[in-house]
Amino acid sequence: MAREAALAACLEAVLGSRSSANRVFELLEPLAGQEEPEDIVSAIRACSRLFGALLERRELFVGPLPDQDAALAESYSAEDKYRIWMRHRYRDCVSCLGELMGHDAFQIRELALCTLMKFVELEAEYPLIKIEWKGALTFPCDLLKVVVDGLLPTNKDATLLISRFQEYMEYDDVRYFVMKAVTASIGQVMQKTKERPLPFYQQNVFSLISPINMPNKESEMVKFMVKQDNREELKLSKLQAHKQVFERMWLTFLKHKLPTGLYKKVLVILHDSVLPYMNEPTLLMDFLTVAYGIGGAISLLALNGLFVLIHEHNLEYPDFYKKLYSLLDPSIFHVRYRVRFFHLTDLFLSSSHLPAYLVAAFIKRLSRLALTAPPEALLMIIPFICNLFRRHPACRVLVHRPAGPADMSEDPYVMEEEEPSKSKALESSLWEIQSLQSHYHPDVAKAAAVLNQSLSEMEDDISGLLELSAYELFDKEVKKKAVDVPLEFEQIRGLFGKKNDIFVDHFSLD
């Protein structure tokens, strides 16, 4: 408390008389970060009030800041010398606050961030640059860059501080200049590392840019921190300009090698939160095709983005179905992204123009995988296969082939073949589905028996089956009502058809 009182007295002295200007160092000294946390907090608050007041009173030098020693020697007025000197102290304060955004105590990091953003707002209203013409942009980009650099450390996770900053990203102009600052930061930082992944830094960048809520229409851009008279004429008021900056930021971020975990996080949001707001979504074609070729969960997640580019932007991907076919393996029923994968696979196989050999290869591979799939997956796979038969009648030869192979050893289908056209699927039959008609789970056996009958023209709705879990299946069985089981004998009702007659006769002998 004594230190806080001393800082308050110092603040009043500096604001009250210019003869006490040198006491500003007493306020700046604790910002070096060597003091107790409560003293640093008090000093930040004192500096916030001091330089906030000086900005409002326009007592800081406006224009390109001269070197401090040169300014004192040259023929500046006493007023200008004071303003230049105090502007240098303000710059020292900003520099210290930027470093304090990396302090161990979150309270200090948060207060430093909020103080810097307060200065951003004040500099926007009371600019420290000379305005060349009326209505010129006065946004303090350099000061905002200090904030962005503080949010993107290379050696620690800053997710919590970034989440605190998100409220400022609701301002359209702040968001615009943050995106530009992030783009510049990525180029500078990644160049120094010679393209080696920086897990902490890249995760921080992703945490900052992934929640960006881009406007859909220009009319939605109404919230600006800087109040401009002729905002309509400024570039940052145009949605097209925002999309260009947004696009450049993401392309810069994605052109560098990402850690595997971050790769997945990016692909999860790419189709919803990035592609719709780019001027040229096809610029992400290389990134998505590389991701699709990696394999595993990353390939599954890349499907969403590729679907958007193929169906909405006419992307040509010659080996797309070959890669999709290769993704069908036993693990596909157990990954987190199973629902998304089968939903998209259903969409990709919905075209009636696909060749019969290709669809037959998918049907046969799914049928083979069904032999070892869990019941909850089978209840989705069988209707999925039935829908493929409805869309592609030429594949029904797989069902109506009584002279087909009786077991796996005689089956001409080559499971290990990567090329669907060479798998010989159309020469095979669905003996796998026939074997599932004897499955231990009654619902699976019932579903598999559907292929013994003529399929209806209407497709089955599999949307509710995609997320079916083993727990839900078990819970459904447990909740089934018990039914009376028919017995093979009749209950005894007495010696002569009258219940308990033998007992009556026994007790009547006396």
Side-chain angles (χ1 to χ4, degrees):
M1 293 296 293
R3 185 63 180 273
E4 186 175 358
L7 290 172
C10 181
L11 171 65
E12 293 300 323
V14 174
L15 288 176
S17 172
R18 291 187 178 181
S19 61
S20 303
N22 277 331
R23 294 194 65 186
V24 71
F25 291 109
E26 297 178 34
L27 301 177
L28 294 174
E29 185 180 2
L31 299 185
Q34 306 300 321
E35 307 285 336
E36 293 296 322
E38 55 270 20
D39 293 336
I40 298 176
V41 168
S42 298
I44 293 175
R45 288 172 176 163
C47 288
S48 173
R49 291 194 290 270
L50 170 64
F51 292 109
L54 292 177
L55 281 165
E56 291 175 349
R57 285 155 49 168
R58 300 182 182 275
E59 292 188 11
L60 298 180
F61 185 79
V62 176
L65 185 61
D67 180 81
Q68 182 174 315
D69 295 333
L72 294 176
E74 293 180 9
S75 57
Y76 284 98
S77 65
E79 178 71 16
D80 281 343
K81 287 180 180 180
Y82 168 79
R83 295 188 179 198
I84 292 172
W85 185 85
M86 193 58 80
R87 171 87 177 272
H88 277 281
R89 305 290 77 75
Y90 172 62
R91 189 174 67 173
D92 294 340
C93 176
V94 167
S95 177
C96 289
L97 290 174
E99 293 180 5
L100 287 175
M101 285 180 67
H103 196 275
D104 292 337
F106 179 73
Q107 181 188 13
I108 293 177
R109 298 200 301 271
E110 182 183 26
L111 187 58
L113 168 66
C114 295
T115 302
L116 284 170
M117 290 309 297
K118 172 189 173 182
F119 290 160
V120 169
E121 191 168 3
L122 285 171
E123 277 198 42
E125 187 175 356
Y126 308 102
L128 295 178
I129 58 174
K130 289 184 178 180
I131 300 175
E132 301 294 336
W133 65 89
K134 186 178 180 180
L137 182 65
T138 58
F139 196 92
C141 301
D142 292 339
L143 181 55
L144 187 64
K145 188 178 184 305
V146 173
V147 176
V148 171
D149 289 342
L151 292 171
L152 303 177
T154 59
N155 57 351
K156 65 174 65 175
D157 183 4
T159 303
L160 189 59
L161 188 62
I162 290 170
S163 64
R164 178 65 179 84
F165 179 72
Q166 291 303 326
E167 66 178 75
Y168 298 104
M169 296 287 276
E170 296 300 318
Y171 290 102
D172 294 302
D173 48 358
V174 171
R175 183 178 61 246
Y176 178 84
F177 288 110
V178 164
M179 291 190 295
K180 295 191 74 170
V182 169
T183 305
S185 173
I186 295 171
Q188 294 168 0
V189 172
M190 297 308 294
Q191 185 178 11
K192 292 178 183 178
T193 64
K194 297 181 180 179
E195 303 303 320
R196 285 184 294 103
L198 284 175
F200 281 120
Y201 175 76
Q202 289 171 299
Q203 176 59 53
N204 290 332
V205 172
F206 180 75
S207 299
L208 180 58
I209 68 178
S210 58
I212 288 179
N213 187 19
M214 285 286 288
N216 292 305
K217 302 175 182 177
E218 207 161 285
S219 58
E220 296 176 2
M221 297 169 56
V222 294
K223 191 175 181 181
F224 291 83
M225 179 177 282
V226 179
K227 307 299 185 289
Q228 298 285 158
D229 295 332
N230 63 335
R231 186 181 298 117
E232 292 76 13
E233 301 176 12
L234 296 175
K235 188 176 182 180
L236 65 87
S237 299
K238 307 298 180 183
L239 181 58
Q240 186 78 358
H242 281 251
K243 284 188 173 183
Q244 287 175 350
V245 175
F246 179 82
E247 180 178 273
R248 192 177 303 117
M249 174 187 68
W250 272 103
L251 290 174
T252 303
F253 177 61
L254 296 179
K255 79 176 183 178
H256 301 287
K257 186 178 180 181
L258 301 175
T260 303
L262 192 54
Y263 228 128
K264 295 177 182 178
K265 291 180 181 179
V266 169
L267 291 169
V268 165
I269 69 164
L270 202 65
H271 66 288
D272 275 339
S273 304
V274 180
L275 286 174
Y277 303 104
M278 295 182 67
N279 286 324
E280 295 290 339
T282 52
L283 293 173
L284 282 178
M285 180 178 66
D286 291 342
F287 172 78
L288 286 169
T289 51
V290 169
Y292 191 49
I294 290 176
I298 291 179
S299 292
L300 298 183
L301 293 172
L303 276 175
N304 272 111
L306 284 174
F307 175 78
V308 173
L309 294 183
I310 290 172
H311 282 261
E312 297 181 15
H313 302 282
N314 301 317
L315 169 68
E316 293 185 6
Y317 193 115
D319 293 329
F320 177 80
Y321 284 98
K322 177 182 175 181
K323 182 63 182 177
L324 184 64
Y325 180 73
S326 71
L327 293 177
L328 291 173
D329 59 39
S331 67
I332 199 66
F333 305 119
H334 307 283
V335 295
R336 291 173 53 195
Y337 313 107
R338 184 190 76 181
V339 175
R340 177 180 301 198
F341 172 76
F342 279 102
H343 170 71
L344 289 171
T345 302
D346 187 48
L347 290 174
F348 283 123
L349 296 175
S350 62
S351 173
S352 59
H353 298 292
L354 294 175
Y357 75 83
L358 179 64
V359 179
F362 275 89
I363 291 174
K364 187 62 182 175
R365 195 174 184 97
L366 284 170
S367 301
R368 184 66 59 85
L369 293 173
L371 294 175
T372 56
E376 65 272 13
L378 291 174
L379 292 176
M380 177 271 296
I381 294 172
I382 296 172
F384 188 96
I385 291 173
C386 290
N387 285 346
L388 292 179
F389 280 126
R390 291 183 176 100
R391 297 170 193 167
H392 308 276
C395 294
R396 294 185 183 181
V397 66
L398 294 174
V399 179
H400 305 292
R401 179 172 282 148
D407 56 37
M408 187 183 298
S409 62
E410 300 176 6
D411 195 341
Y413 172 69
V414 184
M415 181 75 170
E416 296 75 19
E417 176 58 55
E418 296 181 357
E419 184 63 56
S421 61
K422 299 178 182 179
S423 66
K424 299 183 180 180
L426 274 176
E427 301 173 25
S428 182
S429 68
L430 290 192
W431 59 267
E432 298 94 343
I433 302 298
Q434 186 176 12
S435 68
L436 290 177
Q437 294 174 8
S438 302
H439 197 275
Y440 71 87
H441 197 290
D443 289 348
V444 174
K446 182 180 177 181
V450 170
L451 285 175
N452 292 339
Q453 308 166 3
S454 297
L455 291 175
S456 62
E457 293 184 4
M458 184 175 295
E459 291 190 9
D460 295 324
D461 182 9
I462 64 170
S463 58
L465 302 172
L466 291 174
E467 299 188 38
L468 186 64
S469 65
Y471 173 80
E472 291 172 328
L473 204 58
F474 179 78
D475 194 50
K476 179 183 176 183
E477 288 296 317
V478 170
K479 291 180 179 178
K480 280 185 177 179
K481 292 184 178 179
V483 296
D484 292 335
V485 179
L487 303 176
E488 293 184 356
F489 59 90
E490 295 182 4
Q491 293 181 346
I492 298 175
R493 301 191 62 80
L495 187 61
F496 300 104
K498 295 181 180 179
K499 193 173 184 181
N500 297 330
D501 281 350
I502 188 170
F503 298 103
V504 173
D505 291 343
H506 174 74
F507 288 109
S508 64
L509 288 176
D510 294 334

